Amino acid sequence: MKDISIIIAGGDKNKDKLKKIGNYPVIANAVNSDGVVGYYDDSYRIEAPAITVTGRGDIGHATPRYLNFTPVVRLLALKTKHNVLFLANAINKITIFNESTGVPQLTKPQLSKYSVKVTKLNEEKKISKIINTLNKLVTLQQRKLRQLKQLKMVMLQQLFVDKNNKKPNLRFKNFKGDWEKQRLEEVAQVTMGQSPSSKNYTDNPNDYVLVQGNADLKSNKISPRVWTKEITKQVHKGEIIMTVRAPVGYLAMANMDAVIGRGVAAIDGNKYLYYLLQTKLMDRTWEKLSSGSTFESISSNDIKNLEIKVTETEEEKLIAKLMDTVTYFVTIQQDNLTQLTTLKKYLLQKLFI
């Protein structure tokens, strides 16, 4: 690395000059928020373009920088004649070993000994153009997914009635009556999970899928991880699964029959109830109920006695159908993003040696 770049070690940040908003970013080792911890108005140490490499904690993560900046708290900065986007990706491809016995650290002398494969500047430029295009596409797809998820949250808030009102803010035409207050057990059967003996756990997909918590629920469906030969309590395809231990209130529609453990409950309800229960997660109903318990959990009575608002069957069907449509677009967008990130990963593997 020392043959193709000048490595500069970060120093202490000047707390008297540090501001929340300013001209030149001050960057530390954090990967989140792009590592920016504040700004200086009138000074910087490194002139862009350059690269930063995390030197503490999650070490060896390289990021191209296009604004003049100041590295702090053991962050390493690289100045080079090579294309910074190309070189940053080349660095991220190598394995950085932790040589310290305590908090992982990467020093300037250590980084200088690592080797990366580079090529002619013209080829680096072309490769970087491909990477930059992919990065922009991923960013746009992430933004679209975020907006769709926000739309779904708003729709849930507007289509359902909160505890302080008798009618929703947004309603289908020809429905005018007040919604009726009921307890959840009046409209659905609740079954609390019971864990089978661990000696009956298997990794055989021909046995019964075991659902025990949030880790077993992916994309609002059952995601098998463990199987069991013992049937204790079951959830059937089409029923609602809800986590009853921290994190409480996460939901899925069962896409298969399964055995449920103590970490979840099965609710024999319809799609309308499924979306209604999502609003209870959003308004922190379950969090408030579970906060006083030893294991941050909710009981069978907590679920059965939950106050809900219901309306005419036809209106409930229309609400569920609309939310299904919004959820479908969220799922499609998530799939598009997954495919794009997979393509990016594949190309990065093929573009670098």
Side-chain angles (χ1 to χ4, degrees):
M1 203 78 72
K2 65 181 179 180
D3 297 330
I4 59 172
S5 64
I6 300 172
I7 305 174
I8 303 106
D12 296 330
K13 57 178 175 279
N14 188 330
K15 295 181 180 178
D16 295 330
K17 294 173 58 177
L18 194 66
K19 296 183 176 181
K20 289 185 178 181
I21 299 175
N23 295 320
Y24 307 110
V26 177
I27 304 173
N29 284 284
V31 176
N32 295 331
S33 301
D34 213 23
V36 177
V37 295
Y39 295 84
Y40 292 158
D41 261 343
D42 54 5
S43 65
Y44 58 87
R45 281 189 63 200
I46 308 297
E47 184 175 352
I51 298 169
T52 59
V53 180
T54 50
R56 191 164 189 173
D58 183 12
I59 62 173
H61 181 78
T63 304
R65 304 290 178 178
Y66 302 101
L67 295 174
N68 300 336
F69 67 97
T70 298
V72 296
V73 196
R74 295 188 181 276
L75 183 71
L76 302 172
L78 278 65
K79 287 290 295 180
T80 180
K81 292 181 180 180
H82 289 270
N83 184 285
V84 292
L85 180 57
F86 174 90
L87 186 55
N89 279 277
I91 294 171
N92 286 330
K93 191 173 176 63
I94 65 176
T95 302
I96 303 290
F97 295 99
N98 175 31
E99 299 180 22
S100 63
T101 57
V103 177
Q105 294 190 44
L106 177 66
T107 65
K108 174 180 172 181
Q110 290 168 349
L111 181 60
S112 68
K113 296 176 183 178
Y114 282 92
S115 298
V116 294
K117 299 286 187 178
V118 294
T119 183
K120 295 179 180 179
L121 296 182
N122 187 46
E123 186 176 9
E124 288 184 2
K125 185 177 180 181
K126 290 181 178 179
I127 291 172
S128 295
K129 187 175 181 180
I130 295 173
I131 297 171
N132 192 45
T133 300
L134 286 169
N135 286 340
K136 287 180 179 179
L137 285 172
V138 169
T139 299
L140 288 172
Q141 294 299 318
Q142 288 172 333
R143 186 181 304 160
K144 187 175 179 180
L145 178 61
R146 187 164 55 249
Q147 291 172 342
L148 282 168
K149 287 182 175 179
Q150 290 172 346
L151 172 63
K152 181 177 178 179
M153 289 181 65
V154 171
M155 295 294 285
L156 286 169
Q157 290 168 340
Q158 298 299 313
L159 287 168
F160 289 88
V161 178
D162 62 35
K163 62 182 180 181
N164 299 315
N165 294 292
K166 295 181 179 180
K167 297 178 182 180
N169 294 326
L170 185 63
R171 202 162 194 186
F172 288 96
K173 189 177 180 180
N174 299 327
F175 294 101
K176 299 179 181 179
D178 291 346
W179 286 28
E180 180 185 347
K181 184 189 301 184
Q182 289 187 329
R183 291 184 299 121
L184 189 141
E185 71 172 348
E186 295 180 71
V187 299
Q189 181 179 342
V190 178
T191 303
M192 301 299 285
Q194 180 180 336
S195 297
S197 172
S198 58
K199 68 181 181 181
N200 290 317
Y201 291 2
T202 76
D203 57 2
N204 185 357
N206 293 319
D207 292 325
Y208 303 99
V209 174
L210 176 61
V211 180
Q212 302 180 97
N214 191 45
D216 302 308
L217 308 177
K218 301 294 183 184
S219 301
N220 304 118
K221 297 179 181 179
I222 296 173
S223 181
R225 295 190 309 147
V226 179
W227 290 260
T228 178
K229 294 180 179 179
E230 179 186 357
I231 298 177
T232 49
K233 297 294 180 71
Q234 282 190 287
V235 62
H236 299 288
K237 185 176 181 180
E239 293 183 351
I240 302 166
I241 306 175
M242 185 173 75
T243 58
V244 297
R245 288 185 174 182
V248 173
Y250 283 83
L251 298 162
M253 291 296 294
N255 51 313
M256 63 182 73
D257 292 349
V259 173
I260 52 174
R262 293 180 63 187
V264 296
I267 302 171
D268 183 15
N270 55 26
K271 273 288 188 74
Y272 168 81
L273 184 59
Y274 171 67
Y275 289 116
L276 184 150
L277 289 173
Q278 290 186 31
T279 68
K280 299 305 177 183
L281 179 62
M282 290 164 54
D283 67 13
R284 301 175 61 197
T285 294
W286 304 120
E287 182 181 337
K288 294 169 187 175
L289 284 171
S290 64
S291 60
S293 67
T294 305
F295 300 104
E296 293 187 35
S297 60
I298 54 176
S299 67
S300 173
N301 286 335
D302 288 331
I303 302 173
K304 291 177 180 179
N305 293 325
L306 177 72
E307 181 184 292
I308 62 173
K309 301 283 182 68
V310 297
T311 181
E312 300 175 42
T313 301
E314 287 306 312
E315 186 174 16
E316 291 184 357
K317 288 180 178 179
L318 287 172
I319 291 171
K321 186 176 181 180
L322 177 57
M323 291 311 306
D324 273 347
T325 302
V326 176
T327 301
Y328 170 78
F329 284 117
V330 171
T331 302
I332 291 297
Q333 184 58 30
Q334 182 65 70
D335 290 343
N336 289 341
L337 180 58
T338 299
Q339 291 173 8
L340 187 58
T341 52
T342 301
L343 172 62
K344 177 184 172 182
K345 184 178 179 180
Y346 172 80
L347 288 177
L348 287 176
Q349 289 173 339
K350 297 299 181 182
L351 288 170
F352 291 87
I353 298 176

